[in-house]
Amino acid sequence: MHIKDAVFLEDLCPKFRFRQWRKSIHRFTGKSCIYCGKPSESIDHVIPRSQGGLSTTENCVPACLSCNGDKSDENALYWYRRQKFYDPRRAMAIRAWLEGDLRLAIRLLQWANPNSKVKNKNYEKNRSEYKAA
Ligand SMILES: [Zn+2]
């Protein structure tokens, strides 16, 4: 009954659905920026909307505000190659993400940042540490 209600609510309120979708994108990377690994605060279009990029999961990646703002209207793969924090494993992950292979993308990201999995598990613990700092 509750599940039915939730579906109904989502259909009734696209904003709610959108918020859930955004959350799920951040969850894939453990809330870290796909480009630099810092905490993701926004959703970035790999292919900008101005170049016909769609707001689909394949084209939307978690990004920090700094990367998102710096990249602006550029194609992410070209922009990323010029960054100081460029990592070929992350570039491969972005490409895999764009192709809809999120599982491969996440594996590549974990390879690029082996601590991310641990961080993920201790997310609650880390959050309280942030508060204390
Ligand atoms: Zn970033």
Side-chain angles (χ1 to χ4, degrees):
M1 187 184 165
H2 284 289
I3 291 162
K4 255 190 182 173
D5 284 348
V7 171
F8 183 62
L9 184 71
E10 278 194 14
D11 287 340
L12 203 69
C13 180
K15 261 190 188 167
F16 176 76
R17 194 183 203 127
F18 183 66
R19 215 161 27 197
Q20 293 298 108
W21 172 73
R22 285 182 75 102
K23 263 191 198 166
S24 72
I25 298 247
H26 286 289
R27 219 174 289 141
F28 284 128
T29 62
K31 296 184 178 171
S32 73
C33 173
I34 199 164
Y35 305 116
C36 71
K38 284 179 191 158
S40 61
E41 298 141 323
S42 61
I43 301 275
D44 184 50
H45 287 74
V46 179
I47 298 165
R49 270 173 294 188
S50 62
Q51 291 175 27
L54 299 172
S55 293
T56 55
T57 303
E58 291 79 18
N59 193 40
C60 290
V61 293
C64 69
L65 288 175
S66 160
C67 286
N68 199 343
D70 190 52
K71 180 189 151 274
S72 186
D73 253 9
E74 250 190 282
N75 180 306
L77 289 165
Y78 295 125
W79 168 83
Y80 184 58
R81 219 172 288 162
R82 296 197 313 270
Q83 304 311 306
K84 266 185 277 175
F85 48 79
Y86 176 82
D87 184 320
R89 291 167 298 190
R90 283 187 182 275
M92 278 163 73
I94 296 163
R95 211 173 282 264
W97 189 296
L98 199 58
E99 280 165 8
D101 196 344
L102 264 64
R103 264 181 62 188
L104 175 63
I106 290 155
R107 275 175 64 181
L108 286 162
L109 288 171
Q110 281 169 351
W111 183 30
N113 183 11
N115 294 325
S116 69
K117 211 173 178 181
V118 182
K119 255 190 216 163
N120 231 342
K121 270 184 198 155
N122 296 333
Y123 179 64
E124 287 301 320
K125 190 182 148 239
N126 277 344
R127 200 160 57 173
S128 56
E129 277 171 9
Y130 282 136
K131 269 181 199 160

